[in-house]
Amino acid sequence: MKKRQVHASVKDERLIEKRRDQMIKGAVSLFKEKGFHRTTTREIAKEAGFSIGTLYEYIRTKEDVLYLVCDRIYDQVGERLQEELDMKRGNLESLKSAIRYYFRVMDEMQDEVLVMYQEAKSLSKDALPYVLNKELAMVAVFEQVIRNCMLAEGISMKEQQIQLMAHNIFVQGQMWGFRRWVLHRHFELDAYIEGQIELLVHGLTKGENVKNGSLSSN
C-alpha cells in the first residue's frame, strides 16, 4: 500500500526529518500521559520545543502527528529487525535469536508501543490500513524465519500454524510494553524472554516430525 503523504510547506527534507522527529518524541510523551484526544497541537509544539506556527509548517492536523508516530515506530522496528536477521541462516538458534532481539527492541520502545496500542484506532480511514499493513509485513518476516527453521531442522508445520506462531511472537513481544503494569512485578526482562521462547518454540520441538529426534526448547 502506498505511503500516506503528510503535507509540509517547508521544502528542506533534512529539516522536515529533524522537526518531525522532535514532534514525534514530544507527541509520544503527551499521548502516553493524556491520550490523543486530550492533547492539543499547541501542547505538542511546546513539548517539541517550537511554536505552534512552526508546527503547522510540517503537518496540517493533529491526526498527521499520530500517523507519523505510528509510521515511525514500525519503520524503526522493521529496520532494526532487518539489520539483525540473516535470512539465510534458518536453524532453531537463529529463530530464538530473532525472538530475543525483537523482544529487546520492544523493551526499548515500551512507551511508543503503548501509545500505538492505545491510539491507533484514532488514525484516519486512509492512514489506518497503511499502518496495519506495515505490521503485517513485520509478521511476515517472522513467518519466513520460521519456514527457514523448519527447512533446516526437518520440522513439519501447516501454513496456518506458521502464521499463528508468527503472530504470537509479534504480540508477545509487544505485550511486554502494554502489560508492563503487571508483568514487571513478576519478571525481569531476560526471564520473560526465555519463558516466552520456551512456550513459543515448544510447538516446533515437541518431538513430532523432527529430523534428528533430539531437539529441545532449551
Side-chain angles (χ1 to χ4, degrees):
M1 183 172 288
K2 187 177 180 181
K3 188 179 182 73
R4 179 175 179 269
Q5 295 300 312
V6 177
H7 175 78
S9 59
V10 175
K11 304 304 180 185
D12 187 331
E13 292 296 332
R14 287 182 296 179
L15 186 57
I16 291 173
E17 184 74 14
K18 178 181 178 181
R19 293 295 188 223
R20 286 183 175 172
D21 186 58
Q22 293 172 298
M23 195 185 307
I24 288 166
K25 289 177 181 177
V28 166
S29 177
L30 288 166
F31 292 166
K32 177 189 169 188
E33 177 187 354
K34 303 179 63 175
F36 170 73
H37 291 291
R38 293 177 58 198
T39 298
T40 67
T41 51
R42 190 172 298 278
E43 288 172 326
I44 294 171
K46 182 178 180 181
E47 190 73 16
F50 41 75
S51 69
I52 186 68
T54 299
L55 181 83
Y56 280 114
E57 291 178 353
Y58 300 94
I59 58 150
R60 285 182 172 174
T61 68
K62 188 173 66 170
E63 286 73 17
D64 285 342
V65 181
L66 179 59
Y67 167 77
L68 291 171
V69 168
C70 294
D71 191 43
R72 178 67 60 84
I73 291 168
Y74 280 129
D75 277 348
Q76 289 179 348
V77 175
E79 288 168 6
R80 293 179 66 174
L81 270 177
Q82 289 297 336
E83 289 174 3
E84 170 66 13
L85 295 175
D86 180 352
M87 301 298 282
K88 294 180 181 178
R89 291 168 47 218
N91 59 26
L92 186 63
E93 288 307 313
S94 296
L95 175 59
K96 291 181 180 180
S97 177
I99 294 171
R100 288 188 186 100
Y101 184 81
Y102 169 65
F103 278 31
R104 292 189 184 282
V105 171
M106 291 295 93
D107 175 61
E108 294 173 17
M109 299 181 68
Q110 288 182 53
D111 288 346
E112 289 89 343
V113 169
L114 185 62
V115 166
M116 188 172 60
Y117 264 87
Q118 289 175 333
E119 306 299 347
K121 62 184 180 295
S122 298
L123 286 166
S124 63
K125 290 182 179 180
D126 63 324
L128 183 58
Y130 170 77
V131 170
L132 294 180
N133 276 327
K134 292 188 78 167
E135 178 174 309
L136 292 177
M138 280 189 286
V139 172
V141 170
F142 281 111
E143 290 178 6
Q144 188 58 51
V145 174
I146 295 166
R147 290 189 188 97
N148 291 346
C149 177
M150 290 167 54
L151 183 63
E153 304 288 1
I155 299 169
S156 176
M157 285 180 71
K158 297 178 180 178
E159 183 62 22
Q160 281 188 328
Q161 291 175 314
I162 294 170
Q163 294 170 355
L164 185 58
M165 184 175 181
H167 279 282
N168 282 343
I169 292 169
F170 191 77
V171 172
Q172 297 303 333
Q174 294 186 336
M175 187 173 77
W176 180 248
F178 65 75
R179 295 286 295 175
R180 61 187 178 185
W181 63 272
V182 64
L183 290 174
H184 289 200
R185 299 177 192 173
H186 304 290
F187 299 94
E188 297 292 338
L189 177 61
D190 287 345
Y192 177 79
I193 292 173
E194 296 309 315
Q196 289 289 6
I197 286 175
E198 183 176 355
L199 292 172
L200 289 162
V201 175
H202 177 72
L204 287 175
T205 61
K206 59 185 178 181
E208 299 178 7
N209 302 319
V210 178
K211 185 185 297 180
N212 299 321
S214 60
L215 287 174
S216 69
S217 59
N218 297 321

